[in-house]
């Protein structure tokens, strides 16, 4: 310390030191308190995330089970539709076979007409595509 200082200035310097020490101690306490509060908040958030995760898992399992059930139902419906289509096609094939056996000449004329109609449609489609590609 400087020897030229007066008792009043020494007292003031001591007061400033004490005040700065108290201020540093208060700041340290505030930091410790903030750290404790942040840790408590993080712990609470972690516990809530764990609880939510525990609640979500059963919901995910339930949704997966429902999705599997819907998939099974869809496959069953598709299988039934396929069976109905096969039966319908089988009946149509049987009716066609009987018709051809009962009306052979008419069946040949109908087949020729259908073949000609298909040929005209194919030719028209090719001409249309050819004309479209030109422009």
């Amino acid at each position: 310390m400087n020897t030229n200082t007066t008792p009043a200035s020494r007292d003031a310097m001591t007061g400033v030191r004490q005040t700065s020490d108290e201020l540093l101690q208060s700041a340290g306490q505030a930091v410790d308190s903030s750290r404790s509060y942040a840790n408590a908040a993080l712990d609470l958030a972690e516990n809530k995330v764990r609880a939510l995760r525990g609640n979500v898992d059963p919901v995910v399992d339930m949704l997966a089970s429902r999705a599997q059930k819907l998939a099974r139902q869809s496959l069953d419906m598709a299988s039934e539709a396929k069976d109905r289509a096969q039966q319908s096609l089988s009946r149509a094939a049987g009716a066609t076979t009987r018709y051809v056996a009962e009306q052979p000449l008419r069946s040949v004329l109908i087949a020729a007409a259908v073949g000609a109609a298909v040929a005209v449609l194919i030719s028209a489609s090719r001409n249309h595509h050819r004309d479209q590609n030109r422009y």
Side-chain angles (χ1 to χ4, degrees), residues 11-93:
D11 289 343
M13 300 232 340
T14 303
V16 168
R17 270 192 219 119
Q18 286 176 345
T19 303
S20 67
D21 288 344
E22 290 171 5
L23 184 61
L24 285 173
Q25 186 178 3
S26 294
Q29 289 172 346
V31 167
D32 290 342
S33 174
S34 296
R35 185 178 295 131
S36 295
Y37 179 75
N39 284 335
L42 287 172
D43 288 344
L44 182 63
E46 181 181 0
N47 290 337
K48 284 186 179 184
V49 166
R50 283 187 180 144
L52 286 174
R53 190 176 296 152
N55 291 339
V56 168
D57 287 344
V59 171
V60 169
D61 290 341
M62 180 198 57
L63 290 174
S65 174
R66 284 187 183 175
Q68 287 176 340
K69 183 178 178 182
L70 285 173
R72 263 187 256 112
Q73 288 174 342
S74 297
L75 288 173
D76 290 345
M77 290 173 66
S79 179
E80 289 172 11
K82 178 195 71 107
D83 291 343
R84 283 193 305 271
Q86 274 182 327
Q87 290 171 357
S88 179
L89 185 60
S90 179
R91 282 192 303 270

Side-chain angles (χ1 to χ4, degrees), residues 100-120:
V100 169
E102 294 169 1
Q103 304 284 333
L105 183 58
R106 191 179 276 184
S107 299
V108 170
L109 292 174
I110 290 172
V114 169
V118 169
V120 167

